[in-house]
Amino acid sequence: MNSLTDMRFVDLIRNLPVHEHTVVVPPKKLLLLRGCKQEKGLPISRKEIFKEKDSEEKLRKILLWGYPRGIQKWLPALFGDDEGLKDLGEKLSKWDSTKNQEAEVVCAEELISLATGQNKFRNLGRVTLTKMAYFFRVNVGGNKALILDKRIIQAAEKWQELCKIGLSGASFEPQQYAEYLKKMYETARTIECDADQLEFFLFTFGASFG
């Protein structure tokens, strides 16, 4: 089993331009969402999402970036007539550690409860929530949130640092997400890279190299 600290991978991980990671939303999807004809797809990068200051617009960009081909359940929010999007944006903005120096450190249970608790937001799953928390730079138990999607979950079992967390499917538990963050940041410090470079490496190459 391979390790993320193996020098065969370290140089690649350190040099990944993760914030340039761009997804192109297909024209047909833009037509559906925006009600206008667009001949070319719309490119959205991580850097662009991080720079967006309006919380509702940031959430729309996250959804388009994260689900460029399967966004149907979020259509009301993208059209702007879903109060849930506004409420969620306000909640995450309060936890945004870059906008609010006094933003509280959120425990994993409190974060994941937005997708699972009695007051969960409609149509919000755990994977989508981690994408939102990442772009809002939510501090989860002392570590900034990272994306944990199905491709990373599938790759995790192939790497020494993550295989014992027991990730299997999109219904991961809060303690598993907290452990994922802990292991990712520990590994990032060891190989002197950014934690989201590790995340992007696992997303892109994790299943192939592991």
Side-chain angles (χ1 to χ4, degrees):
M1 183 178 291
N2 282 320
S3 169
L4 292 166
T5 63
D6 190 317
M7 290 306 298
R8 292 177 298 168
F9 309 121
V10 169
D11 283 343
L12 171 59
I13 294 170
R14 287 174 177 166
N15 287 286
L16 285 173
V18 61
H19 287 187
E20 303 301 324
H21 177 203
T22 300
V23 171
V24 178
V25 183
K28 290 183 179 179
K29 190 63 64 176
L30 290 173
L31 176 63
L32 181 64
L33 295 174
R34 299 190 171 197
C36 62
K37 184 176 180 180
Q38 181 142 340
E39 295 180 357
K40 296 183 179 179
L42 175 68
I44 301 177
S45 69
R46 294 195 188 203
K47 180 166 60 177
E48 178 184 344
I49 298 174
F50 276 125
K51 287 183 177 180
E52 179 58 57
K53 295 181 180 180
D54 182 88
S55 62
E56 289 183 62
E57 189 64 19
K58 176 174 281 196
L59 285 173
R60 291 188 182 95
K61 288 181 177 180
I62 292 169
L63 292 170
L64 286 169
W65 178 86
Y67 304 96
R69 299 183 185 278
I71 200 72
Q72 284 79 3
K73 67 181 182 179
W74 282 100
L75 283 177
L78 291 167
F79 276 124
D81 58 356
D82 189 333
E83 281 298 313
L85 193 73
K86 179 180 179 181
D87 293 342
L88 181 57
E90 290 177 352
K91 182 75 172 178
L92 292 171
S93 289
K94 290 180 181 178
W95 292 344
D96 189 332
S97 57
T98 58
K99 291 174 61 176
N100 181 6
Q101 292 184 348
E102 298 181 357
E104 64 180 294
V105 177
V106 180
C107 68
E109 288 79 6
E110 185 174 4
L111 176 67
I112 301 302
S113 72
L114 297 182
T116 63
Q118 290 183 343
N119 298 317
K120 66 170 289 187
F121 286 88
R122 181 169 59 89
N123 292 326
L124 181 60
R126 302 177 202 208
V127 167
T128 306
L129 180 58
T130 67
K131 294 178 182 181
M132 293 175 172
Y134 165 71
F135 283 111
F136 276 87
R137 299 190 186 276
V138 177
N139 188 328
V140 184
N143 293 310
K144 297 285 179 63
L146 293 171
I147 296 170
L148 180 56
D149 73 357
K150 293 179 181 179
R151 285 174 64 171
I152 297 172
I153 290 169
Q154 290 169 357
E157 64 182 14
K158 299 184 177 183
W159 296 88
Q160 292 179 20
E161 291 78 8
L162 303 174
C163 64
K164 294 182 180 179
I165 300 176
L167 295 167
S168 59
S171 297
F172 49 84
E173 297 300 322
Q175 64 269 24
Q176 290 176 306
Y177 184 64
E179 185 66 13
Y180 164 72
L181 294 179
K182 177 184 176 183
K183 294 295 185 183
M184 291 288 276
Y185 277 92
E186 286 177 350
T187 305
R189 286 191 291 270
T190 297
I191 66 175
E192 299 180 335
C193 74
D194 294 329
D196 55 356
Q197 288 179 307
L198 271 178
E199 170 259 301
F200 187 42
F201 172 82
L202 289 168
F203 175 81
T204 308
F205 303 111
S208 299
F209 289 160

